[in-house]
């Protein structure tokens, strides 16, 4: 799955979808959040009336949840992994009791009790079964409701460091997992109407499609950089001994590089709407 927005997107294996919960706290501390501008523009696009809740699919530990909740939007969060949801509840404890409702369920099987004016999904839409995800989104949204799907794509700013880290994998006989800082494929691979997300969205009845990009640069220490690698499903799935060997080798290389690195983050946002004249009955 190239950077969370794959061109070949088979039904996700439950073991991979739930692998992040093996160390939910590590995932939460390692992963960056999302630009404030993105949150503002999603809410502007959705134009929710005051007090109307939004639906978050695959909320994880709340990397996007708190930003939307702090904007004053009540949220229903659907998260399939109870361990991730536990961290999410802890992070939301500072918020008013009624602002975030958390349901532990697979979105494919979850049935909403109401329709929403906004459905958003951060870094997780590729884990939802492609055979049903768009229909489930249509069923959860009101006529004219907005959908917002977004991913962070990470790029090491220093090509020399990336080359050294790649060479360490080769020496150890460990293939570089996709969806990581070292995957050489372009990120995002396609843009606008050429992207799979845009094509699927419009093919399943969504209108007013839009694709927006946001760029930021983050400085990461050695431990923070290795922590980001450790948060990827491809590295989590490695046998523990192989994972330790490659992380030890990468730690030495980053320390020799100066004890840190700059990571460019490109956040890719896809927007769309259900038709305003869409039937209001659930799926």
């Amino acid at each position: 799955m190239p950077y969370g927005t794959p061109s070949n997107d088979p039904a996700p294996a439950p073991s991979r979808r739930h692998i992040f919960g093996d160390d939910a706290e590590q995932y939460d501390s390692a992963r960056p959040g999302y630009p404030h501008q993105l949150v503002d523009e999603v809410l502007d696009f959705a134009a929710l009336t005051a007090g109307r809740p939004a639906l978050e699919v695959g909320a994880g530990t709340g990397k996007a949840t708190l930003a939307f909740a702090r904007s004053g939007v009540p949220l229903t969060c659907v998260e399939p992994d109870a361990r991730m949801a536990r961290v999410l509840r802890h992070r939301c404890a500072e918020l008013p009791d009624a602002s975030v409702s958390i349901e532990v369920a697979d979105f494919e099987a979850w049935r909403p009790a109401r329709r929403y004016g906004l459905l958003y999904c951060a870094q997780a839409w590729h884990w939802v079964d492609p055979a049903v995800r768009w229909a489930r989104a249509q069923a959860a949204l009101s006529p004219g409701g907005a959908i917002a799907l977004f991913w962070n794509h990470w790029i090491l700013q220093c090509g020399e460091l990336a080359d050294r880290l790649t060479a360490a994998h080769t020496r150890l006989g460990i293939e570089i997992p996709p969806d990581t800082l070292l995957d050489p494929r372009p990120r995002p691979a396609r843009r606008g109407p050429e992207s799979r997300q845009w094509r699927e969205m419009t093919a399943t009845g969504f209108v007013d499609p839009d694709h927006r990009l946001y760029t930021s640069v983050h400085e990461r220490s050695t431990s923070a950089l290795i922590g980001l690698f450790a948060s990827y499903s491809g590295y989590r799935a490695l046998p523990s001994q192989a994972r330790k060997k490659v992380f030890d080798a990468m730690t030495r290389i980053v320390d020799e590089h100066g004890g840190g690195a700059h990571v460019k983050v490109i956040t890719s946002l896809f927007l769309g709407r259900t038709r305003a004249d869409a039937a209001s009955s659930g799926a």
Side-chain angles (χ1 to χ4, degrees), residues 61-115:
T61 61
K63 302 306 292 187
T65 309
L66 268 67
F68 279 89
R70 287 169 178 156
S71 295
V73 179
L75 301 175
T76 298
C77 298
V78 179
E79 166 53 41
D81 192 285
R83 299 163 298 178
M84 301 286 275
R86 192 176 303 118
V87 177
L88 174 62
R89 287 192 178 93
H90 177 74
R91 296 195 71 207
C92 292
E94 66 188 71
L95 301 170
D97 290 343
S99 62
V100 178
S101 172
I102 300 169
E103 300 193 29
V104 179
D106 293 325
F107 180 62
E108 296 91 333
W110 180 75
R111 293 296 182 267
R114 55 160 300 154
R115 292 292 190 103

Side-chain angles (χ1 to χ4, degrees), residues 1-5 16 20 31 123 126-127 152-157 162 165-166 169 174-188 225-238 246-247 250 263-265:
M1 291 179 297
Y3 298 95
T5 53
R16 288 292 296 275
F20 302 105
R31 290 294 181 102
Q123 209 78 27
H126 55 290
W127 293 116
N152 280 333
H153 309 277
W154 306 272
I155 303 167
L156 271 179
Q157 290 281 78
L165 294 173
T166 298
H169 286 71
I174 295 173
E175 185 177 355
I176 293 172
D179 312 339
T180 72
L181 281 161
L182 299 179
D183 191 322
R185 289 171 292 182
R187 294 154 270 178
L225 188 65
I226 301 305
L228 181 57
F229 278 102
S231 74
Y232 296 132
S233 63
Y235 284 99
R236 287 175 181 247
L238 287 174
V246 73
F247 285 168
M250 288 197 292
V263 177
K264 181 166 72 171
V265 180

Side-chain angles (χ1 to χ4, degrees), residues 258-271:
H262 288 88
V263 177
K264 181 166 72 171
V265 180
I266 300 176
T267 307
S268 182
L269 166 66
F270 291 89
L271 295 165

Side-chain angles (χ1 to χ4, degrees), residues 31-261:
R31 290 294 181 102
Y34 302 93
H36 293 298
Q37 183 183 355
L38 178 149
V39 175
D40 291 342
E41 291 186 8
V42 168
L43 294 176
D44 285 345
F45 184 86
L48 298 174
T49 55
R52 190 174 187 191
L55 172 64
E56 181 175 7
V57 175
T61 61
K63 302 306 292 187
T65 309
L66 268 67
F68 279 89
R70 287 169 178 156
S71 295
V73 179
L75 301 175
T76 298
C77 298
V78 179
E79 166 53 41
D81 192 285
R83 299 163 298 178
M84 301 286 275
R86 192 176 303 118
V87 177
L88 174 62
R89 287 192 178 93
H90 177 74
R91 296 195 71 207
C92 292
E94 66 188 71
L95 301 170
D97 290 343
S99 62
V100 178
S101 172
I102 300 169
E103 300 193 29
V104 179
D106 293 325
F107 180 62
E108 296 91 333
W110 180 75
R111 293 296 182 267
R114 55 160 300 154
R115 292 292 190 103
Y116 294 85
L118 167 64
L119 180 157
Y120 72 90
C121 182
Q123 209 78 27
W125 194 243
H126 55 290
W127 293 116
V128 183
D129 186 349
V132 300
R133 60 190 172 197
W134 298 102
R136 297 302 309 131
Q138 291 274 2
L141 286 168
S142 301
I147 186 170
L149 311 174
F150 46 99
W151 289 265
N152 280 333
H153 309 277
W154 306 272
I155 303 167
L156 271 179
Q157 290 281 78
C158 179
E160 179 187 356
L161 177 59
D163 290 343
R164 292 187 64 192
L165 294 173
T166 298
H169 286 71
T170 302
R171 287 195 304 272
L172 293 169
I174 295 173
E175 185 177 355
I176 293 172
D179 312 339
T180 72
L181 281 161
L182 299 179
D183 191 322
R185 289 171 292 182
R187 294 154 270 178
R190 299 286 186 271
R191 300 185 182 185
E194 296 182 353
S195 65
R196 179 186 52 76
Q197 292 74 22
W198 182 297
R199 296 196 306 271
E200 287 188 2
M201 188 184 298
T202 55
T204 51
F206 286 91
V207 297
D208 299 336
D210 197 2
H211 184 201
R212 306 178 188 183
L213 298 174
Y214 310 81
T215 301
S216 57
V217 177
H218 305 256
E219 186 174 359
R220 292 232 166 192
S221 65
T222 299
S223 60
L225 188 65
I226 301 305
L228 181 57
F229 278 102
S231 74
Y232 296 132
S233 63
Y235 284 99
R236 287 175 181 247
L238 287 174
S240 59
Q241 188 174 18
R243 186 168 60 246
K244 183 180 186 304
K245 284 182 178 180
V246 73
F247 285 168
D248 286 349
M250 288 197 292
T251 296
R252 289 192 296 271
I253 291 168
V254 180
D255 280 344
E256 292 169 2
H257 181 73

Side-chain angles (χ1 to χ4, degrees), residues 5-25:
T5 53
S7 55
N8 278 320
D9 196 358
S15 60
R16 288 292 296 275
R17 177 160 63 177
H18 289 271
I19 200 169
F20 302 105
D22 290 348
D23 194 345
E25 289 82 3

